[in-house]
Amino acid sequence: GYISIKNTSVIEESEEVGSYHIYTDQRGARVNSKGEQKPANVEIITLGCSFAYGYRVENEHTFTERLGREFGVPASNFALPGYGTVQSLQMLKRNLGLKPKVVIYGFIPDHPRRNLTPCVLNNAPFCRAVSFVDFNEHKEPYIHLPRFELFDPKLFNKFEDEVLYSG
């Protein structure tokens, strides 16, 4: 699947809402400012898709940050646009070392479909491969690794550079 770039600083432009910032820490969690790092342990982790991520809003306005401020505890947002339950579970497993006391999964009605498809809907006209739930010959579910043969990362990167990020 895909994860956030660690220690990044990006300004996203949107005609609808204007610009907003995306900053991440050493683990790829959203943070409020460039260079900010979450502590080694957090009380709250949030997971899910663009709604939990806070797509098109500054991080301080996400429910993750608001909960952290309200309760006076460190909180980390590991949600990403396009994620379903499978990717959220994988992200949680990667970050259990933070020893959260509370894990919040932002569920939307599209997640069951996302859990069963090898492709994430995205701005590109082709697949972004992700892990998904599949079934073996005994009809038992398992997490199938991404089917990278469904997309060409070079084409995707070219599409992003030439179409999505061109002025």
Side-chain angles (χ1 to χ4, degrees):
Y2 58 98
I3 58 174
S4 285
I5 297 171
K6 297 169 179 155
N7 293 310
T8 194
S9 172
V10 176
I11 298 176
E12 288 275 332
E13 298 288 335
S14 164
E15 288 183 18
E16 296 87 19
V17 297
S19 64
Y20 69 102
H21 301 85
I22 300 171
Y23 304 111
T24 60
D25 69 5
Q26 75 276 6
R27 289 179 165 269
R30 280 193 77 182
V31 292
N32 295 325
S33 61
K34 185 176 181 175
E36 179 184 347
Q37 301 295 319
K38 293 288 183 171
N41 294 51
V42 297
E43 300 284 320
I44 301 170
I45 284 181
T46 57
L47 304 158
C49 62
S50 56
F51 294 100
Y53 175 79
Y55 185 63
R56 294 188 172 171
V57 301
E58 296 290 341
N59 189 58
E60 58 261 19
H61 301 301
T62 65
F63 72 79
T64 305
E65 285 298 302
R66 294 180 72 153
L67 285 169
R69 282 193 308 271
E70 177 74 23
F71 293 107
V73 298
S76 285
N77 184 348
F78 287 102
L80 279 173
Y83 264 26
T85 312
V86 175
Q87 296 80 36
S88 295
L89 175 62
Q90 291 173 318
M91 184 63 78
L92 176 62
K93 287 179 177 180
R94 285 184 197 107
N95 291 288
L96 282 175
L98 292 171
K99 300 180 179 162
K101 291 183 180 173
V102 176
V103 176
I104 299 171
Y105 172 61
F107 179 84
I108 66 167
D110 192 48
H111 286 177
R113 183 197 59 78
R114 292 180 190 186
N115 297 337
L116 298 171
T117 183
C119 294
V120 166
L121 296 175
N122 62 82
N123 295 332
F126 39 82
C127 178
R128 178 179 280 178
V130 293
S131 299
F132 61 100
V133 174
D134 203 351
F135 298 87
N136 65 20
E137 64 275 0
H138 305 292
K139 299 187 182 191
E140 300 164 328
Y142 71 97
I143 295 178
H144 192 292
L145 295 179
R147 294 185 54 206
F148 290 112
E149 73 274 12
L150 298 176
F151 87 123
D152 180 339
K154 291 178 186 169
L155 281 176
F156 188 83
N157 291 340
K158 183 176 180 179
F159 176 81
E160 283 190 326
D161 289 344
E162 293 179 7
V163 177
L164 297 180
Y165 300 118
S166 64

